[in-house]
Amino acid sequence: MDTQIERKITVGICETQPLVIAGLRSATQTSRNIALLDPVRNLEEALRFVISSTPQVMVLDKALGVPAVMDFLTRVRDRVPTAFVVWGASMTEPEALRFLKAGARGVLRKTAEAGTVIASFESVAGGGTWLEDALFHHSARQRGRIRSELTAREQQVLELVEQGMRNKDIARELGI
């Protein structure tokens, strides 16, 4: 058996959008260190998957609902050796910190560069914690931006609308 394959970091993904899965698969194929496993589509499947397959890293889509992902992380953090990374189309600094407190070892935006995503997987698989720097820079830019006097939550909704998301998808992304 090829020892290169044996040393790869196994990564599972619980994601709602097939195109995002395809993009992540494409991005990780360029890495010699990452083996992306078959995706699952909901948190119940994710629980069965991490128990049966024990990937080193499991990516959870924030669009599954912030409260549901938080509850999932809290329930499984001491039950499995898998390191969890939460990602979403938009992510605020307070949300990122809440995910870490609930048990995530990494937090990313889906707009992160491929190299950043791979580096985050390597870091959390190695026992580290990963919080994308751009989350903090993005928050600072948001506070400095003058569009109107929107609340932080209204600003989140506006960003998702600008990305072309539908109301239903925005509600799911924000856990409403």
Side-chain angles (χ1 to χ4, degrees), residues 51-152:
I51 290 171
S52 65
S53 300
T54 321
Q56 290 168 282
V57 178
M58 185 73 182
V59 181
L60 301 174
D61 184 1
K62 180 184 132 183
L64 295 165
V66 172
V69 172
M70 294 275 195
D71 181 58
F72 178 88
L73 289 168
T74 302
R75 285 186 297 132
V76 301
R77 69 177 163 206
D78 297 325
R79 292 177 51 195
V80 296
T82 301
F84 293 93
V85 173
V86 178
W87 73 347
S90 70
M91 186 79 64
T92 64
E93 184 180 334
E95 281 178 324
L97 295 174
R98 285 195 334 258
F99 282 126
L100 290 174
K101 186 175 180 182
R105 294 256 296 280
V107 181
L108 292 167
R109 290 174 304 129
K110 288 184 179 181
T111 56
E113 297 288 330
T116 300
V117 174
I118 290 168
S120 74
F121 295 166
E122 292 170 345
S123 177
V124 300
T129 301
W130 186 275
L131 187 56
E132 185 184 2
D133 287 338
L135 287 171
F136 295 106
H137 299 300
H138 185 68
S139 293
R141 274 197 317 270
Q142 291 295 43
R143 285 189 293 273
R145 226 192 269 182
I146 303 175
R147 281 193 184 179
S148 65
E149 295 187 23
L150 298 177
T151 67

